[in-house]
Structures are given as structure tokens and as C-alpha cells.
Amino acid sequence: FASLYGSKVSGFNIDGNQVQNAIDYAKETGMDNLLDFKVGDHHKRFDYPDESFEGAYSFQAIWPFFKIPELDFTAKEIYRVLKPGGIYTCSEYLLTPFFDWEDKEHLELHKLFLPTLAATQSNYPADITAAFERAGFKVLSSKPSSAPAWPLTDQKTDLFLLFRSLIIFLTKVGISPVWVETLINNLLLGGQAWAKAEKMKIADLNWQIVVQKP
């Protein structure tokens, strides 16, 4: 938006290192007059005045880290900082309506893939859109990603298996610590579980939601 339209773009992240990288990038590209980044926590009041922005978006930043009772607060904060007519969109990990907490296979896959995604919570799209509606938004769209991630996971599996064999050998001869082998095993199992979950259409890495403030 900044480079294409000359718009001012602001963003925040809880990770100070990522924020500093963004600040450095803005300076290196000569766009520090248009790009503003700061450390912030989505669980707390946003450090922006009411009706500051014409639009907002998040990418793997909010909904995989919020429990259901916490959704309303953040939805209301997004509503607060948007101008009337402003649009918020996201592309984030969510369960699909086909995921069943009573299904043992679904639960086992979820147990394996959630740490691999570095997520802490698993919500349904309906949980998120309901919070937006309670905040006052109109839901324009809620749909699965157009391109699944599992083809990339499958493509890299053979390479990962080869790397795992090397780590197992290095562990046996005492060169690599045991925790590295454990980590590789967990990542492999998590990736395979994610690929299967996506193929079963019970989870989506980039579920897309678009809402508008009246």
C-alpha cells in the first residue's frame, strides 16, 4: 500500500525483533515516512486513537492465539480504530466447520499439528465472525483459502526424511544432542498430520474473513 498508493501503513507485533527488522526495512527502502511499526499486544488496547484507519489486516497474528472469551475484546478494538466504512481482512489458521472435537482421529491430528504451526488456540470461523458481528461489523466474506498448504508439505517430506536419517545417525555417534532428534521427529509428525488434516478439509492455514464497519 505504501509503495503502490503512497498510503501510510502502521503495524504492531509482540515480537520486538520482528518490529525492529520492519523499522530497519522502512529506513533502508526510504519509506520510513510512510511506514510506522511498534511493539504491541493484541490482547490489550491498541495504541491508536479512535477511527485512525481506513483498513486493517492480519496474517497469522491474532486468531490462532486467542481463547473464545478473548475474541470480543479484540474485535471491538479493531472496530474502534477503523473509520466508518473501513474494512478488516485476515488470512489465518482456523479449524473448518468439518472439524469434530468428538472425533478421535481429528483430535489426534490436532494434537500433532498445533505445535508445528506455533499456534496456541484453535477456533472455528463462526467463532470469529460472531465476535465481529457483536462488535458491530458486517461480515462480507468468510471462506477457505484458495490454495492449500499440503502440496508443499508433501513435496518436502522426502527431503525431511533424509535430513531426519542424518540427525539419527549423528545422535547415535554422539555428535548431535538427543533433543534435536526429538524436535525433528515432532516436526515431521506435525507436518504429516497437518497435510492429512488439510486433505480431510478439517483445518485451513489461511482461512479468509472480510468484515466492514458500517
Side-chain angles (χ1 to χ4, degrees), residues 54-57 82-83 85-89 137 140 210-213:
E54 295 176 355
Y57 75 93
L82 282 177
K83 297 178 180 179
I87 288 178
Y88 164 83
T89 182
F137 282 101
L140 302 181
V210 182
V211 298
Q212 185 173 33
K213 179 176 180 177

Side-chain angles (χ1 to χ4, degrees), residues 142-161:
S142 178
K143 61 183 181 179
S145 57
S146 56
W150 67 258
L152 179 62
T153 304
D154 282 358
Q155 182 184 3
K156 300 298 182 181
T157 296
D158 289 342
L159 179 62
F160 213 88
L161 287 170

Side-chain angles (χ1 to χ4, degrees), residues 90-130:
C90 70
S91 179
E92 309 224 9
Y93 154 66
L94 291 171
L95 301 176
T96 77
F98 300 112
F99 185 92
D100 183 358
W101 289 103
E102 301 298 322
D103 188 304
K104 291 183 179 180
E105 183 179 16
H106 292 189
L107 290 179
E108 184 60 30
L109 291 173
H110 179 265
K111 180 181 178 181
L112 290 171
F113 72 63
L114 190 65
T116 305
L117 299 180
T120 60
Q121 305 297 324
S122 295
N123 295 302
Y124 290 105
D127 297 327
I128 311 303
T129 55

Side-chain angles (χ1 to χ4, degrees), residues 169-187:
F169 170 75
L170 293 176
T171 302
K172 286 183 178 179
V173 298
I175 297 177
S176 177
V178 175
W179 68 263
V180 175
E181 181 180 346
T182 302
L183 175 62
I184 295 300
N185 285 334
N186 289 341
L187 289 173

Side-chain angles (χ1 to χ4, degrees), residues 11-212:
F12 67 97
N13 192 304
I14 200 169
D15 187 331
N17 290 329
Q18 292 186 21
V19 171
Q20 187 58 53
N21 289 338
I23 293 173
D24 293 342
Y25 171 81
K27 292 180 179 179
E28 291 169 5
T29 56
M31 293 196 297
D32 48 324
N33 62 318
L34 294 175
L35 302 178
D36 173 61
F37 303 108
K38 63 181 68 177
V39 175
D41 186 347
H42 289 98
H43 292 81
K44 300 178 181 179
R45 181 180 172 86
F46 298 173
D47 190 19
Y48 302 108
D50 295 356
E51 300 184 0
S52 294
F53 305 107
E54 295 176 355
Y57 75 93
S58 65
F59 179 75
Q60 306 295 355
I62 301 180
W63 313 121
F65 307 99
F66 280 70
K67 299 177 181 178
I68 288 180
E70 299 172 318
L71 299 179
D72 282 352
F73 174 81
T74 300
K76 290 176 181 177
E77 276 299 284
I78 295 173
Y79 187 93
R80 180 182 66 79
V81 300
L82 282 177
K83 297 178 180 179
I87 288 178
Y88 164 83
T89 182
C90 70
S91 179
E92 309 224 9
Y93 154 66
L94 291 171
L95 301 176
T96 77
F98 300 112
F99 185 92
D100 183 358
W101 289 103
E102 301 298 322
D103 188 304
K104 291 183 179 180
E105 183 179 16
H106 292 189
L107 290 179
E108 184 60 30
L109 291 173
H110 179 265
K111 180 181 178 181
L112 290 171
F113 72 63
L114 190 65
T116 305
L117 299 180
T120 60
Q121 305 297 324
S122 295
N123 295 302
Y124 290 105
D127 297 327
I128 311 303
T129 55
F132 278 127
E133 289 177 330
R134 289 191 293 270
F137 282 101
K138 178 182 178 181
V139 177
L140 302 181
S141 175
S142 178
K143 61 183 181 179
S145 57
S146 56
W150 67 258
L152 179 62
T153 304
D154 282 358
Q155 182 184 3
K156 300 298 182 181
T157 296
D158 289 342
L159 179 62
F160 213 88
L161 287 170
L162 179 62
F163 181 62
R164 176 174 171 267
S165 298
L166 175 61
I167 294 298
I168 290 174
F169 170 75
L170 293 176
T171 302
K172 286 183 178 179
V173 298
I175 297 177
S176 177
V178 175
W179 68 263
V180 175
E181 181 180 346
T182 302
L183 175 62
I184 295 300
N185 285 334
N186 289 341
L187 289 173
L188 177 62
L189 290 173
Q192 292 174 327
W194 176 258
K196 186 173 183 179
E198 267 203 324
K199 291 174 183 178
M200 294 170 64
K201 299 187 182 300
I202 61 174
D204 194 301
L205 191 61
N206 294 291
W207 189 280
Q208 300 169 5
I209 295 175
V210 182
V211 298
Q212 185 173 33

